[in-house]
Amino acid sequence: QVQLVESGGGLVQAGDSLRLSCAASGRTSSRIEALGWFRQAPGKEREFVARINWNSGIPNYADFVKGRFTISRDNANSTMFLQMSGLKPEDTAAYYCAGQRLGSIRYDDWGMGTQVTVSS
């Protein structure tokens, strides 16, 4: 199993930037296919935000964050980041880190989440 712990959330104003981190542990280098970010706002379903292939570093983004959010990873420290800029009130949500294991077609491991609140 891969353990995931998010950090970096907080309360910011519209237009501000914030960087989220996801620290992975548990033999990550031999077990992770990709890490991703999801978010869930109150009363709404969880939605995909971004994903990064652990080996190649190739990212994928949801359309609503393209040009504003950047996903990256530090393999040496088994950490993934989400740099968020131009934040909007509609970005307010709990952000979750998720891990896709090698050979898996789904996200198998989840963090507890970190809250991002954007005030207008």
Side-chain angles (χ1 to χ4, degrees):
Q1 185 177 0
V2 176
Q3 293 80 41
L4 303 171
V5 179
E6 305 93 337
S7 62
L11 172 62
V12 297
Q13 294 185 337
D16 284 352
S17 298
L18 203 60
R19 189 175 81 156
L20 304 183
S21 299
C22 172
S25 60
R27 297 176 59 188
T28 56
S29 63
S30 64
R31 294 188 175 185
I32 294 178
E33 172 74 22
L35 290 182
W37 288 100
F38 289 76
R39 70 185 188 184
Q40 187 168 20
K44 295 187 177 181
E45 293 187 353
R46 184 174 61 195
E47 62 182 354
F48 168 77
V49 176
R51 174 187 183 273
I52 189 164
N53 183 280
W54 197 244
N55 287 324
S56 69
I58 295 175
N60 297 99
Y61 297 96
D63 287 343
F64 59 79
V65 301
K66 285 182 179 178
R68 298 192 300 127
F69 292 7
T70 302
I71 192 171
S72 61
R73 90 271 191 250
D74 177 355
N75 294 63
N77 293 297
S78 297
T79 304
M80 176 181 64
F81 305 98
L82 186 67
Q83 179 67 45
M84 305 184 293
S85 60
L87 284 163
K88 306 175 182 179
E90 51 263 45
D91 293 318
T92 295
Y95 283 72
Y96 297 91
C97 174
Q100 181 183 1
R101 299 181 195 172
L102 287 173
S104 177
I105 61 172
R106 61 187 179 94
Y107 288 92
D108 307 279
D109 303 293
W110 293 83
M112 296 298 290
T114 186
Q115 179 67 35
V116 173
T117 303
V118 185
S119 63
S120 57

